[in-house]
C-alpha cells in the first residue's frame, strides 16, 4: 500500500508539471491577437487533445504562473455578478478570459523571413526547407495554413552543401581576426562545383584575410584581402570549398589599399554592384529618366543628378570599373557612358564584339 501511495503521489506531481507545459503548448499552437481562448476552451482542449481533466481554477493558476515566469500572455478582465456559495447573495467577481500568447515575430515578419529564404540563390534546398519549417514553428496553426500555397525551390538547383559550415568558420575567423585557407570553385558542365586549378594543374589554394560577410544580389559575399596582394577582393561564399581556419593573424586593414582607414561597408557596397574586385572610378553617364529607380537601386542615393531634360538626365557616381562596364552593357539601350574615356573605349569594344558575334554565319 505504501508503494502504491508513493507512485500515486509521483504521478500527481508529474501531471501538475505536465499541465503547465500543455497549457503553454496550447497557447503557442492556438492563440494570437486574432485568436483568443477562454479558460473553458483551454479546459476542453486539455480534455480532448491531452487527455487531462482539470478545472478552470487549475487552468487560471497555471496561466498566472506562466505570466510570473516571464511569458507575455495577454487577457481581458470583466466583472460578473455571481451568487455566494454560502449566503446566496450576488457578489462581484473578476473573470479572466481571451487569453493569447504574444509572439516574438509577427506573421508578417515571419513571412518576410520565409520569402527571403525562398528567393535566396545560395542556400541548399534541404537546408532552406528545414529553416522554413523552423520559422513556421515560431507561429501557430493558423500561420501554417497561410503558407501552404508557397511553392518550394526546385530540388535540382546546384548547391554547395558546405555553405553553413563555411559561414561558421568565416564568422569565427572574422571575430578572432585570423586568416582562412580554402579552395574556390566554379561550376562545370556536369553542374557540379569544381575547385579552380593553377596552370600546372594543381588545385589552387587561397590564403585570405577575411573582414566582412555581406549579402547582395541574393547571395553571400566575403569582403577580404587575398594575402598575396594589397587590394580588396570579394568572393562568393557559396563557391568556397574545404575552408580551414588558420592560426595566423589577418593582415591589418591599414595595409590594404582602399580600407587604410577602415572598411566603409555602405560605400563599398554602393561601388560594387556586382561585387567585382578592382579599382573604383568616378563615372558620368546620360540615362533615360524612366530608369532613375533602377539607378538608385544599383548605386544608392550618393549619385548626383544634373542636366535634367524632359527625357534624359546626367548621372555622376563612383563605382567599380568592372561593375560599371557590365551595368552599362546591361542598360545599353537606355544609357550612354561619357567618362572616363578608358571605360567608354572598353564599352565600345564590348558592343562591337557583341555585334560581330551576331554577324557571324
Amino acid at each position: 500500500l505504501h508503494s502504491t501511495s508513493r507512485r500515486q503521489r509521483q504521478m500527481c506531481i508529474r501531471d501538475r508539471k505536465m499541465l503547465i507545459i500543455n497549457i503553454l503548448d496550447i497557447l503557442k499552437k492556438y492563440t494570437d491577437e486574432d485568436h483568443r481562448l477562454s479558460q473553458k476552451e483551454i479546459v476542453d482542449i486539455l480534455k480532448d487533445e491531452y487527455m487531462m481533466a482539470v478545472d478552470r481554477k487549475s487552468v487560471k493558476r497555471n496561466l498566472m504562473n506562466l505570466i510570473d515566469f516571464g511569458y507575455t500572455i495577454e487577457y481581458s478582465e470583466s466583472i460578473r455578478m455571481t451568487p455566494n456559495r454560502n449566503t446566496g447573495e450576488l457578489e462581484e467577481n473578476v473573470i479572466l478570459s481571451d487569453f493569447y500568447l504574444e509572439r516574438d515575430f509577427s506573421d508578417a515578419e515571419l513571412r518576410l523571413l520565409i520569402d527571403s529564404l525562398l528567393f535566396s540563390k545560395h542556400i541548399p534546398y534541404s537546408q532552406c526547407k528545414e529553416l522554413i519549417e523552423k520559422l513556421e514553428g515560431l507561429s501557430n496553426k493558423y500561420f501554417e495554413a497561410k503558407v501552404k500555397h508557397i511553392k518550394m525551390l526546385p530540388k535540382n538547383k546546384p548547391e554547395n552543401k558546405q555553405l553553413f559550415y563555411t559561414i561558421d568558420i568565416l564568422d569565427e575567423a572574422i571575430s578572432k581576426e585570423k586568416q582562412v585557407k580554402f579552395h574556390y570553385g566554379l561550376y562545370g558542365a556536369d553542374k557540379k562545383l569544381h575547385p579552380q586549378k593553377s596552370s600546372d594543374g594543381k588545385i589552387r589554394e587561397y590564403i585570405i584575410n577575411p573582414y566582412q560577410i555581406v549579402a547582395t544580389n541574393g547571395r553571400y559575399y566575403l569582403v577580404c584581402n587575398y594575402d598575396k596582394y594589397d587590394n580588396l577582393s570579394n568572393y562568393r561564399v557559396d563557391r568556397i570549398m574545404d575552408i580551414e581556419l588558420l592560426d595566423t593573424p589577418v593582415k591589418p586593414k591599414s595595409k590594404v589599399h582602399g580600407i587604410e582607414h577602415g572598411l566603409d561597408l555602405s560605400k563599398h557596397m554602393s561601388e560594387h554592384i556586382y561585387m567585382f574586385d578592382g579599382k573604383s572610378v568616378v563615372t558620368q553617364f546620360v540615362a533615360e529618366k524612366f530608369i532613375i529607380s533602377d539607378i538608385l537601386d544599383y548605386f544608392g542615393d550618393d549619385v548626383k543628378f544634373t542636366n535634367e531634360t524632359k527625357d534624359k538626365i546626367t548621372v555622376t557616381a563612383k563605382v567599380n570599373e568592372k561593375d560599371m562596364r557590365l551595368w552599362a552593357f546591361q542598360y545599353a539601350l537606355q544609357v550612354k557612358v561619357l567618362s572616363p574615356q578608358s571605360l567608354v573605349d572598353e564599352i565600345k569594344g564590348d558592343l562591337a564584339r557583341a555585334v560581330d558575334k551576331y554577324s557571324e554565319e
Side-chain angles (χ1 to χ4, degrees):
L1 290 173
H2 178 73
S3 176
T4 302
S5 176
R6 184 174 60 186
R7 284 199 302 271
Q8 288 175 339
R9 287 198 300 271
Q10 289 174 341
M11 290 177 63
C12 184
I13 293 171
R14 185 196 64 188
D15 289 345
R16 285 201 299 268
K17 290 179 178 179
M18 288 303 300
L19 177 57
I20 193 168
I21 293 173
N22 289 340
I23 290 174
L24 179 59
D25 190 51
I26 289 170
L27 292 174
K28 288 180 177 179
K29 187 185 296 185
Y30 290 102
T31 71
D32 55 33
E33 191 172 1
D34 298 321
H35 303 89
R36 311 182 186 208
L37 293 175
S38 65
Q39 293 178 51
K40 181 182 183 305
E41 288 170 326
I42 295 175
V43 168
D44 291 340
I45 295 173
L46 285 167
K47 180 181 178 182
D48 295 338
E49 298 186 21
Y50 297 83
M51 308 305 173
M52 299 187 75
V54 298
D55 56 26
R56 296 187 192 184
K57 287 184 178 180
S58 297
V59 169
K60 178 181 177 181
R61 182 174 61 252
N62 281 277
L63 286 167
M64 294 301 106
N65 286 338
L66 286 170
I67 293 173
D68 290 340
F69 293 155
Y71 288 95
T72 308
I73 299 172
E74 298 294 333
Y75 57 87
S76 62
E77 297 181 356
S78 59
I79 304 295
R80 291 185 186 175
M81 303 300 294
T82 57
N84 184 290
R85 290 185 178 181
N86 297 321
T87 65
E89 294 182 3
L90 293 177
E91 296 179 341
E92 286 188 357
N93 276 296
V94 177
I95 306 297
L96 306 183
S97 189
D98 298 329
F99 289 90
Y100 72 93
L101 179 68
E102 279 198 358
R103 301 180 180 277
D104 294 331
F105 295 94
S106 69
D107 284 359
E109 290 169 333
L110 287 176
R111 180 60 188 270
L112 180 63
L113 291 172
I114 288 174
D115 284 348
S116 298
L117 289 170
L118 288 169
F119 297 126
S120 164
K121 299 175 183 177
H122 57 274
I123 301 178
Y125 173 87
S126 57
Q127 291 169 318
C128 184
K129 187 173 183 294
E130 183 180 342
L131 285 171
I132 288 174
E133 289 172 353
K134 287 180 179 180
L135 287 172
E136 288 180 348
L138 296 177
S139 189
N140 53 33
K141 70 169 192 173
Y142 308 105
F143 178 78
E144 291 176 8
K146 294 178 184 176
V147 297
K148 280 182 180 178
H149 66 281
I150 295 179
K151 185 178 185 300
M152 287 299 300
L153 295 172
K155 292 185 180 181
N156 59 353
K157 182 182 69 171
E159 57 184 44
N160 179 357
K161 296 185 182 297
Q162 301 178 25
L163 176 66
F164 282 13
Y165 176 74
T166 299
I167 292 173
D168 283 342
I169 296 298
L170 288 174
D171 278 339
E172 184 178 356
I174 292 169
S175 63
K176 292 182 177 180
E177 298 185 340
K178 298 291 185 181
Q179 290 184 322
V180 293
K181 178 173 65 174
F182 57 71
H183 301 141
Y184 195 63
L186 292 175
Y187 283 97
D190 59 358
K191 302 177 183 178
K192 294 181 180 179
L193 200 60
H194 300 275
Q196 288 185 305
K197 296 181 179 181
S198 54
S199 56
D200 59 3
K202 293 182 179 179
I203 294 178
R204 189 174 175 184
E205 189 173 80
Y206 293 76
I207 295 179
I208 297 295
N209 300 293
Y211 300 120
Q212 186 74 47
I213 298 175
V214 298
T216 185
N217 302 322
R219 303 187 187 279
Y220 280 131
Y221 288 84
L222 175 65
V223 181
C224 59
N225 162 253
Y226 187 9
D227 202 50
K228 297 198 310 187
Y229 306 109
D230 64 355
N231 62 323
L232 210 57
S233 298
N234 305 301
Y235 290 89
R236 283 259 301 267
V237 174
D238 60 308
R239 291 184 180 172
I240 291 175
M241 309 170 67
D242 311 316
I243 192 168
E244 182 181 337
L245 180 66
L246 303 179
D247 289 330
T248 48
V250 296
K251 183 185 297 182
K253 295 186 182 73
S254 59
K255 295 185 178 181
V256 180
H257 179 69
I259 57 169
E260 297 90 338
H261 305 293
L263 174 60
D264 185 338
L265 195 57
S266 61
K267 179 175 178 287
H268 181 78
M269 298 301 290
S270 65
E271 291 181 8
H272 296 78
I273 54 181
Y274 298 114
M275 298 303 287
F276 286 122
D277 56 9
K279 65 178 181 178
S280 294
V281 296
V282 176
T283 184
Q284 193 172 66
F285 58 91
V286 176
E288 303 287 343
K289 285 177 63 175
F290 71 85
I291 67 163
I292 285 179
S293 295
D294 296 55
I295 293 169
L296 293 173
D297 283 344
Y298 279 100
F299 299 98
D301 59 5
D302 285 338
V303 298
K304 182 180 178 182
F305 292 126
T306 55
N307 303 329
E308 181 178 1
T309 65
K310 180 182 177 182
D311 301 314
K312 296 182 180 181
I313 196 165
T314 300
V315 184
T316 304
K318 187 174 183 181
V319 61
N320 174 275
E321 198 165 17
K322 294 178 184 177
D323 289 72
M324 186 62 201
R325 182 175 170 181
L326 178 58
W327 188 85
F329 195 82
Q330 178 183 346
Y331 282 86
L333 298 179
Q334 295 86 30
V335 166
K336 179 182 178 181
V337 176
L338 304 177
S339 65
Q341 188 59 46
S342 58
L343 180 59
V344 173
D345 294 339
E346 287 177 338
I347 294 170
K348 284 182 178 179
D350 292 338
L351 293 171
R353 284 188 291 273
V355 171
D356 288 343
K357 281 186 178 294
Y358 281 95
S359 300
E360 294 174 356
E361 295 183 1

